[in-house]
Amino acid sequence: MQSAPAATFDEAYYQRFYFDKKTSVVDPAHMDRLGTFVGAYLHYLRVPVRRVLDVGCGIGLWQGLIARHFPQASYQGVELSDYLCDRYGWQRGSVVDYTADAPFDLVICQGVLPYLSPPDLRRALANLGRLSRGALYVEAVSREDYERDVIDEQLTDARLFRHRAELYRRGLRAHSRELGGGLWLSRQAEVPLFALEHVDAD
C-alpha cells in the first residue's frame, strides 16, 4: 500500500472529520487539556520555545494553544492538503521531506503518521528528528490501540495504517528521548533530565 495521496485531504475529508459535528473527531476539551499538558511540562523542564512547527497542522487546532502557552513563540503551519493551504494560508509540505533553514524548538505532528506507508513513515520519523532541536509532540494510533479496543472505529478513518508502536518508537529514539504522554526531547537539547523523567536512561 502507498501513503495517502494529497488528494485524500480534500474539502469532503475535512467536512466529515472536522466540520460536521455528527462525525467530527475533534474534542475541544481534549485539545485544551493536551495543550495545557504540553505547555506545562515544557515550562517545567525549562525547554525554551520560540519557534514552533506544526507539520500536518490541519485546521490549525494548535495555533491558539501555542499562542496561549507560548505567547512569544512564532507558529508555522505546514499542510499537505491544497484545500487547507488555500483556506488557511498554510505552507504546503509533507512530514516525509519538509525542510527548514533551521530546526524548531517544538515540533508537533498529530494524527499524520498513520497515513504513511512503512517506508515513508521511517523517512518521516527521521525527518522529525532533524526538524526538532528541542521538544517533539507526536500523536499516532498504533496496531496495539486497535487490538486493545481503545479506538472508535466508527469515527476513525479506515484508511489508516496499523503500524506497531515499536516502529514509531524505534524511529523516534534515534534522535529523541521519550518523556511520556507523546512528548519527546531531542538528544541535542541542552536540558538536564533526571533518569526517571525519560524512558531510556542512556
Side-chain angles (χ1 to χ4, degrees), residues 53-154:
L53 173 67
D54 189 356
V55 60
C57 61
I59 62 173
L61 295 172
W62 277 94
Q63 189 171 30
L65 297 172
I66 295 301
R68 185 192 318 167
H69 297 286
F70 304 103
Q72 304 305 315
S74 64
Y75 173 90
Q76 175 68 58
V78 172
E79 239 314 316
L80 186 64
S81 167
D82 289 328
Y83 165 68
L84 290 187
C85 289
D86 291 341
R87 178 166 178 168
Y88 294 102
W90 307 134
Q91 184 177 359
R92 194 181 188 286
S94 167
V95 65
V96 174
D97 54 13
Y98 177 78
T99 60
D101 293 336
F104 293 82
D105 302 308
L106 170 60
V107 176
I108 299 162
C109 186
Q110 183 176 23
V112 174
L113 300 176
Y115 282 100
L116 301 178
S117 66
D120 282 345
L121 175 61
R122 285 188 283 271
R123 292 175 61 200
L125 294 172
N127 197 34
L128 287 172
R130 289 188 290 268
L131 290 169
S132 174
R133 66 183 173 194
L136 170 64
Y137 174 73
V138 172
E139 180 184 290
V141 296
S142 67
R143 182 177 298 182
E144 289 86 347
D145 299 319
Y146 288 92
E147 293 171 348
R148 295 168 184 166
D149 199 27
V150 295
I151 298 295
D152 186 339
E153 295 194 46
Q154 291 185 331

Side-chain angles (χ1 to χ4, degrees), residues 181-193:
L183 271 174
W184 297 72
L185 186 69
S186 172
R187 295 182 184 275
Q188 300 177 28
E190 295 181 359
V191 177
L193 296 174

Side-chain angles (χ1 to χ4, degrees), residues 27-38 65 68:
D27 179 349
H30 167 79
M31 287 301 301
D32 187 64
R33 292 191 304 272
L34 180 57
T36 298
F37 161 69
V38 170
L65 297 172
R68 185 192 318 167

